[in-house]
Amino acid sequence: MNNFKPIKQIKASDEVFNQLREAIFSGRFSAGDKLPSERELIEKFAVSRTVVREAIKSLEARGLVVIKQGATGGAFVKEMTFDRLSSDCNDLFFLGKMSFNEICQARLHIEPIVAGLAAKHCTPEHAKLLLEANANESLTLEYPETVMLRSKIHYLLADMCNNRFLTAIDKSLIQLVGSISSKFQPDTDKIHPPGMHHSIIDAVIAGDEAGAEQAMRAHLLDFLVLLDGIEEEYRHTQ
Amino acid sequence: MNNFKPIKQIKASDEVFNQLREAIFSGRFSAGDKLPSERELIEKFAVSRTVVREAIKSLEARGLVVIKQGATGGAFVKEMTFDRLSSDCNDLFFLGKMSFNEICQARLHIEPIVAGLAAKHCTPEHAKLLLEANANESLTLEYPETVMLRSKIHYLLADMCNNRFLTAIDKSLIQLVGSISSKFQPDTDKIHPPGMHHSIIDAVIAGDEAGAEQAMRAHLLDFLVLLDGIEEEYRHTQ
DNA sequence: ATACGTTAAATGTATGACATATAACGTTTC
DNA sequence: GAAACGTTATATGTCATACATTTAACGTAT
């Protein structure tokens, strides 16, 4: 008898948000497309401008659209990228939901797998890129560039694993470890001296899946020794 | 000579958003706390209500606060959870940025690791929960509950790995595979007959890390055979 | 003690006005 | 003809005010 469902008083702005989101997800608007202007949306949804604007603001905050001002402006559907995952990981770390140690351990488990897959799928073009990156590693440039050079190999391998989910996760972890550790110890050479990647690259280029996995694991263990104790100090100096 | 920096015309609502976000991240407001009311924020930031509201809307869309209406209402800082990652994964899949196959493969690589870690950290209480879940698995209830029962073991193991990042990733994958495959084939018994988890549980409870890893991998391979071909059919029937 | 109405405090919505950003077009100037 | 400049049109961004709605808490009558 008690089958009455509660009346859900959904807010108008949320309703508009939902409908627009669905339209994007269903492909009715795809990346680069412009959503109808505020004025048109007001008419179609028969709501006030306030409501439309808040809905679009939410879409923007969720990373589904970018808003451009001006004559040819409007809300344009964004090419969805895996950056969202990275940014969320950042949030989680800074809100104390993940310890630095957990991130490092996760990377220790995942990146060897990625390296193995990279070895499995390595093409001559990939090999060329890897060797190039490896040669450039010892260059010393300005601060942020050095970090980029030093982790380039890791990003390349992530791109080679042929699985966009693993690529995204791996890149998030690499980026997170990098940004956290360099915040604490800006001297790149101390936390990651150049030339630590030779054996990994050799194995990957040889297509040696197990070898690449093993080499990456060994490298990360070495690296983590250098980073040991960083988290406490970081948390202290906050 | 050309050292002039471009004037960044940051929108007022974004500025308010950023300041509030920083306040949350820095711990000035923590989970459960109430942000100042719109009226107070208007005064403190010296902006219009529109701006304040849009900023708060963005915080809500990013999952940082929940907004409650009414006398004791306001914007309350949300306990940040790993659900965000899951929701991102959902978005990415539905926007076609990940194939079902990629998700399954990622799970195939990650979940055995998680199972191994679970074995490493298994306590008697954990063992009890696992055995309970295993016993309940063959019960047949209403539709959504059955799916829950059948995947309970996986969620339990995810919680046991002692690494919140891996827990979150693993759960996202489990949830995603579950929801996608059941959308295609609602008959739970066909895609995942009960009783497939015995060997995994035995190994985990025995603390046999390698064994648990191996058992999980075998289970997933079996499972994926059943799911083979789902994606194409799914994409077609869309 | 329960039921009910009142009140107060918050967010939600509507509307109109004006500010600002930006591309496109036209016009002047050389 | 091309570059510089002003004009205009069309977006979004901001402000201000009024009113609607939701919700908890308090008071009051039954």
Side-chain angles (χ1 to χ4, degrees), chain A residues 39-53:
Chain A
R39 205 186 115 273
E40 293 173 276
L41 292 175
I42 290 171
E43 289 174 6
K44 291 188 186 168
F45 287 109
V47 293
S48 73
R49 198 177 163 206
T50 316
V51 168
V52 167
R53 280 186 62 80

Side-chain angles (χ1 to χ4, degrees), chain A residues 5-50:
Chain A
K5 290 176 189 170
I7 313 291
K8 53 172 180 182
Q9 279 290 9
I10 189 164
K11 286 183 286 188
S13 54
D14 287 346
E15 179 64 25
V16 172
F17 170 81
N18 283 330
Q19 287 201 37
L20 289 175
R21 189 172 107 261
E22 282 311 311
I24 294 173
F25 277 19
S26 74
R28 195 169 131 210
F29 298 101
S30 33
D33 288 356
K34 179 181 174 300
L35 295 188
S37 71
E38 291 179 356
R39 205 186 115 273
E40 293 173 276
L41 292 175
I42 290 171
E43 289 174 6
K44 291 188 186 168
F45 287 109
V47 293
S48 73
R49 198 177 163 206
T50 316

Side-chain angles (χ1 to χ4, degrees), chain A residues 171-188:
Chain A
K171 283 185 177 177
S172 300
L173 290 171
I174 297 169
Q175 187 267 328
L176 208 48
V177 171
S179 74
I180 297 169
S181 58
S182 70
K183 201 169 284 181
F184 165 72
Q185 169 59 279
D187 185 343
T188 316

Side-chain angles (χ1 to χ4, degrees), chain A residues 86-105:
Chain A
S86 298
S87 125
D88 281 354
C89 287
N90 256 289
D91 286 6
L92 284 165
F93 172 73
F94 286 109
L95 286 171
K97 293 293 167 189
M98 292 195 290
S99 67
F100 188 49
N101 185 52
E102 279 171 302
I103 296 168
C104 291
Q105 290 297 318

Side-chain angles (χ1 to χ4, degrees), chain B residues 121-158:
Chain B
H121 301 119
C122 186
T123 67
E125 294 79 46
H126 287 140
K128 186 159 162 279
L129 289 173
L130 285 172
L131 291 172
E132 252 177 50
N134 198 40
N136 290 335
E137 207 169 61
S138 40
L139 298 179
T140 302
L141 302 177
E142 288 307 304
Y143 168 59
E145 283 80 12
T146 314
V147 176
M148 227 3 193
L149 282 182
R150 214 58 60 84
S151 49
K152 178 83 177 179
I153 300 271
H154 293 273
Y155 284 105
L156 280 176
L157 292 174

